[in-house]
Amino acid sequence: MNIEQQINQLREELRQHNYNYYVLDAAVISDYEFDMKLKTLQELEKKHPEFYDPNSPTLRVGGEVTKNFETVVHEHRMYSLDNSYSREDLLDWEKRIKKLVDGEINYTCELKYDGASISLTYEEGVLVRAVTRGDGIQGDNVTTNVKTINSVPLKLKGDFPSKFDIRGEIVLPYEGFAKMNQERIEAGEEPYANPRNTASGSLKLQDSSETAKRPLECLLYNITGDKIGITSQIESLEKARAWGFKVPSESKLVHSIDEVLSFVNYWDEHRHDLPYETDGIVIKVNDLQQQEELGFTAKAPRWAMAYKFKAEQASTILQEITYQVGRTGAITPVANLDPVLLAGTTVKRASLHNADQIEKLDIRVGDTVFVEKGGEIIPKIIGVDFQKRNQNSKPTLYITECPECNTPLIRKEGEAQHYCSNYKGCTPQIVGRIQHYISRKAMDIEGLGGETVTLLVNEGLITNYADLYELRKEQVVPLERMADKSADNLINGIQKSKEIPFERVLFALGIRYVGETVAKKLAKHYKSIQAIIEATEEDLVNVDEIGIKIAQSVREFFSVDENKELIGKLLGYGVQLEISAEKLANQTDTLQGQTFVVSGVFERVSRNELKKLIEDNGGKVSSSISSKTSFIVAGANMGPSKLEKANKLEISIISEDEFLSKIK
Ligand code: AMP
Ligand code: ZN
């Protein structure tokens, strides 16, 4: 056997063991043997890079880093589901669909897995793309992360169609979730709130080797594509299973709504025996021909219906109400509870939202309260068990002063939240603003984390984000857990942030209501901080998509002397407070009002440069061809489906050179 054959055989073997272990839950070799084989393969691959295969089992451990996830338009839209809550709802639904299709209707009942939905694209049996649901029309390309999930087959087995999408849910089973949290607690980190959000967060981690460490699973439930030769939903589940996907076996074919209900009732009671979270049942018309006739509403398929389990409740005792101060000074009351088991996790805290909520429910310390966990991260208190109330208890008095700095709280007309107005002196606000400034989407300062910010503030080394630029290494080194090298990294990271473009600096400033998108709009329109400082409320509202709330907040921010002072300092340190001259020089309105789709491979500029050129010259880039597309810039190997669509809609296709001469 030559080296290549040896490598391929090992890959095949490991793939099979992976499948046995993660999909079938039935390993046939020990972990040790598996690791040995993997190691052998790793060594061979290292010695023979010419046999590289992006789908090799050795690449499951991740390592690729994604800074920004590419947006991808779903070829087939990812719909949501309509909900039902009773037998009547289901009978109504059946009546509606019986009017639209002929013949007997059978249903498949499936569990509704509670995780993050994902669409996987396979071509010639190889995973080529994994995209999150996003808004259903377009999502994020998270392929590198999804490839690390062991139950996702990178190569299929058996008799699969040459191209199809398969949809499923990425979940974090309870056991793995509990283990992850245990490790976090031991490392002194906050535990994650729930498996679902952790699963969806895991897909968006930049470092795929981090995703690889999380015990995620991918459960599949729908095959989408043209000419895939399947006639029923139940068949598609079986087929998917045969190709190597993990498809839970609880799904069942039934023949009436009453049978649907017994399935619902059974799982309502037994769902906690499952290894992962579910939040209901999904009922689907089994026959795909009938599904096609039924089609979709604007939001959901007519042929499917979710039946939500009742949100679970538990009762426990309210020990204490504490108050948190956010970066904007907003106060959030938090209920501290006697720990109670709810929907599979232990609950110790619940959100109380604001003063009105506490008053409305008449919640008092010592009360027995009902907590409910719907889809939210933090459970909420939905009421008080008044029969158990202590006769002597007194109504809760909302705090009148900031728990951190004792400043009297204010509450503005029409706002639900109380605020601490001590902008300059209230520690959590100061820390919060700096933490926001350095965060990934803002200045993304490498080598500086949220906890270090707290330390720096507590040590009196900084009181605002401008102070960061004055920090010297010898001030930082004495800090707890700060090695010489980390101190260097921190200082370098801060210096490097001077290169961050204006739009992100604007976001980093922490002006209320100025999120990432608004910051981009303002930066593009005004081009410099000075112009924004000078803009009146009226000017601001006239900018596309800037409303009165944002305009007022911007004015308010720049009317504070300290903020103006801060801006002055940032300017002095060389932080980008205007669009760089280079960028400005390259900007024109030449392509104003035109929308471009870019397809294929280019010679003179990269795809990203091309997109940037379009935007810099006032044009819009879109990822899908529609009647709104003005031009398609086509390079080599433009996709055939795009070509077909372009021809159908009679959209002009131009070459790279033709495009470049347009903007010359
Ligand atoms: P909702 O988000 O409540 O509108 O429910 C729709 C979501 O349920 C879909 O986007 C899927 O991610 C998820 N889901 C979970 N299990 C299933 C299943 N067996 N069939 C279809 N969708 C499911
Ligand atoms: Zn305060």
Side-chain angles (χ1 to χ4, degrees):
M1 200 162 35
N2 65 25
I3 297 288
E4 184 174 13
Q5 285 167 331
Q6 210 179 328
I7 289 182
N8 283 336
Q9 185 182 335
L10 268 171
R11 283 178 182 157
E12 215 33 69
E13 255 182 68
L14 285 164
R15 227 169 254 137
Q16 184 61 35
H17 289 309
N18 236 326
Y19 173 77
N20 293 340
Y21 188 91
Y22 291 104
V23 178
L24 301 182
D25 293 320
V28 295
I29 58 170
S30 69
D31 289 358
Y32 177 76
E33 285 170 284
F34 184 90
D35 288 343
M36 284 302 119
K37 281 185 197 290
L38 191 70
K39 221 167 135 206
T40 314
L41 178 58
Q42 270 166 340
E43 278 160 14
L44 282 174
E45 287 182 344
K46 209 167 146 196
K47 264 195 245 154
H48 298 278
E50 66 273 26
F51 302 127
Y52 175 80
D53 174 358
N55 294 311
S56 168
T58 52
L59 299 174
R60 291 278 193 191
V61 293
E64 221 173 304
V65 173
T66 315
K67 268 277 178 193
N68 291 302
F69 293 95
E70 173 203 15
T71 307
V72 178
V73 176
H74 295 295
E75 196 168 328
H76 305 273
R77 195 175 145 182
M78 290 181 85
Y79 286 88
S80 157
L81 290 169
D82 284 332
N83 286 320
S84 60
Y85 301 91
S86 64
R87 180 163 189 266
E88 283 62 50
D89 289 350
L90 288 177
L91 290 172
D92 279 350
W93 174 55
E94 179 167 67
K95 226 190 263 161
R96 286 200 301 278
I97 58 182
K98 281 201 161 153
K99 278 192 200 146
L100 297 169
V101 293
D102 297 327
E104 195 190 337
I105 298 178
N106 295 313
Y107 304 96
T108 52
C109 295
E110 296 166 25
L111 293 167
K112 188 166 186 293
Y113 321 112
D114 200 9
S117 30
I118 194 83
S119 178
L120 308 175
T121 302
Y122 284 83
E123 287 175 12
E124 308 308 335
V126 174
L127 173 68
V128 294
R129 204 162 36 254
V131 182
T132 62
R133 172 162 128 174
D135 62 4
I137 297 177
Q138 53 183 36
D140 292 318
N141 184 341
V142 291
T143 316
T144 44
N145 285 338
V146 168
K147 276 190 168 178
T148 68
I149 302 173
N150 286 297
S151 51
V152 173
L154 302 180
K155 280 198 171 161
L156 302 181
K157 311 189 296 178
D159 182 20
F160 44 79
S162 68
K163 181 172 192 292
F164 65 96
D165 284 357
I166 184 162
R167 268 102 197 246
E169 202 80 0
I170 292 181
V171 299
L172 193 46
Y174 294 122
E175 200 186 314
F177 178 72
K179 197 159 150 253
M180 265 174 71
N181 265 349
Q182 193 52 42
E183 284 165 9
R184 284 182 74 83
I185 291 165
E186 279 159 17
E189 292 168 322
E190 271 289 301
Y192 292 113
N194 70 19
R196 176 175 38 130
N197 289 64
T198 314
S200 80
S202 304
L203 297 182
K204 298 293 289 291
L205 293 172
Q206 295 194 336
D207 181 352
S208 60
S209 61
E210 286 302 312
T211 311
K213 286 186 205 145
R214 303 197 173 177
L216 301 162
E217 273 189 23
C218 182
L219 311 175
L220 285 313
Y221 53 71
N222 175 281
I223 302 176
T224 307
D226 303 325
K227 306 192 200 87
I228 41 179
I230 293 174
T231 60
S232 74
Q233 170 64 10
I234 202 83
E235 185 192 348
S236 72
L237 297 178
E238 283 155 12
K239 283 271 164 76
R241 207 173 278 135
W243 300 333
F245 292 101
K246 187 154 193 160
V247 180
S249 57
E250 288 78 13
S251 313
K252 192 174 170 194
L253 180 65
V254 305
H255 310 283
S256 68
I257 293 296
D258 281 325
E259 278 184 77
V260 168
L261 284 162
S262 16
F263 187 89
V264 169
N265 291 336
Y266 179 84
W267 285 110
D268 201 356
E269 196 180 318
H270 291 91
R271 62 176 157 140
H272 294 304
D273 303 337
L274 294 163
Y276 41 77
E277 269 186 319
T278 52
D279 63 342
I281 299 293
V282 185
I283 306 126
K284 298 174 184 169
V285 169
N286 184 48
D287 186 299
L288 296 192
Q289 180 66 40
Q290 288 179 333
Q291 284 194 7
E292 204 174 310
E293 283 165 40
L294 288 166
F296 299 84
T297 65
K299 181 183 147 265
R302 287 198 189 83
W303 45 263
M305 185 57 90
Y307 192 106
K308 288 269 172 95
F309 293 134
K310 280 186 274 333
E312 279 191 75
Q313 289 183 6
S315 73
T316 185
I317 292 174
L318 173 63
Q319 289 173 339
E320 191 192 3
I321 298 176
T322 52
Y323 299 85
Q324 286 177 344
V325 188
R327 126 177 108 85
T328 57
I331 307 289
T332 314
V334 179
N336 294 260
L337 307 164
D338 270 352
V340 61
L341 201 64
L342 178 59
T345 44
T346 304
V347 171
K348 283 183 246 167
R349 285 146 65 89
S351 166
L352 288 168
H353 304 288
N354 52 49
D356 288 347
Q357 185 77 4
I358 294 176
E359 198 183 306
K360 198 173 97 199
L361 298 175
D362 185 19
I363 297 172
R364 306 177 186 186
V365 169
D367 275 348
T368 299
V369 294
F370 298 109
V371 276
E372 185 178 294
K373 203 158 148 189
E376 308 80 11
I377 317 171
I378 308 172
K380 55 184 177 205
I381 293 189
I382 51 160
V384 173
D385 189 345
F386 291 107
Q387 285 175 343
K388 295 202 178 145
R389 171 167 283 172
N390 184 330
Q391 296 299 312
N392 306 323
S393 84
K394 296 211 176 55
T396 298
L397 288 178
Y398 204 77
I399 49 167
T400 52
E401 289 176 0
C402 175
E404 303 279 340
C405 72
N406 304 327
T407 306
L409 297 180
I410 48 167
R411 184 175 172 184
K412 285 198 200 138
E413 266 293 314
E415 286 195 0
Q417 236 66 23
H418 283 71
Y419 282 86
C420 165
S421 62
N422 185 4
Y423 186 80
K424 228 182 147 179
C426 182
T427 311
Q429 294 187 52
I430 295 171
V431 171
R433 281 196 298 269
I434 304 173
Q435 284 175 339
H436 172 74
Y437 184 82
I438 66 159
S439 64
R440 197 162 58 72
K441 290 185 167 171
M443 303 301 271
D444 193 18
I445 297 188
E446 234 173 274
L448 178 56
E451 279 166 40
T452 311
V453 170
T454 312
L455 273 179
L456 290 168
V457 172
N458 287 344
E459 293 293 319
L461 292 172
I462 55 173
T463 57
N464 57 53
Y465 38 71
D467 290 346
L468 288 172
Y469 297 92
E470 294 274 353
L471 275 179
R472 277 167 293 114
K473 185 177 165 188
E474 57 272 27
Q475 292 177 299
V476 182
V477 173
L479 291 182
E480 214 178 300
R481 284 197 306 222
M482 184 61 73
D484 198 68
K485 178 117 190 298
S486 355
D488 278 333
N489 286 344
L490 189 156
I491 303 286
N492 288 339
I494 293 172
Q495 293 309 316
K496 253 181 77 187
S497 74
K498 294 178 183 170
E499 290 159 22
I500 296 289
F502 176 45
E503 58 189 44
R504 276 173 57 191
V505 181
L506 192 55
F507 168 63
L509 296 181
I511 306 170
R512 215 169 154 205
Y513 306 126
V514 179
E516 264 184 292
T517 333
V518 172
K520 258 191 198 153
K521 295 237 157 74
L522 290 174
K524 204 167 174 192
H525 184 89
Y526 286 102
K527 304 194 168 54
S528 76
I529 199 84
Q530 200 49 42
I532 298 178
I533 293 176
E534 282 162 15
T536 64
E537 207 173 286
E538 256 189 319
D539 291 339
L540 285 160
V541 181
N542 280 329
V543 180
D544 201 21
E545 285 172 64
I546 303 295
I548 184 75
K549 214 165 71 175
I550 301 173
Q552 279 172 352
S553 166
V554 171
R555 288 288 5 112
E556 201 175 303
F557 184 87
F558 291 109
S559 66
V560 177
D561 284 338
E562 284 108 51
N563 288 336
K564 278 192 280 201
E565 213 175 287
L566 271 183
I567 304 286
K569 284 191 182 162
L570 292 180
L571 268 171
Y573 297 128
V575 173
Q576 305 288 318
L577 286 167
E578 55 185 31
I579 294 186
S580 69
E582 188 193 355
K583 193 164 177 190
L584 213 51
N586 288 330
Q587 281 188 348
T588 72
D589 290 339
T590 320
L591 305 177
Q592 192 75 42
Q594 302 178 5
T595 303
F596 293 79
V597 170
V598 173
S599 179
V601 187
F602 301 92
E603 272 169 23
R604 292 174 51 189
V605 287
S606 76
R607 232 176 134 85
N608 281 336
E609 279 164 347
L610 193 61
K611 289 184 179 171
K612 205 172 150 288
L613 282 173
I614 295 171
E615 281 173 352
D616 284 350
N617 287 290
K620 257 196 190 149
V621 181
S622 161
S623 43
S624 70
I625 300 174
S626 73
S627 55
K628 294 201 190 98
T629 312
S630 329
F631 294 99
I632 296 163
V633 190
N637 301 331
M638 172 177 176
S641 64
K642 276 195 174 160
L643 189 62
E644 194 183 323
K645 201 155 177 200
N647 288 334
K648 214 164 97 194
L649 295 171
E650 297 181 356
I651 293 161
S652 27
I653 302 180
I654 58 174
S655 70
E656 179 181 4
D657 288 337
E658 282 170 301
F659 172 78
L660 292 173
S661 63
K662 247 178 185 310
I663 55 169
K664 264 284 140 58

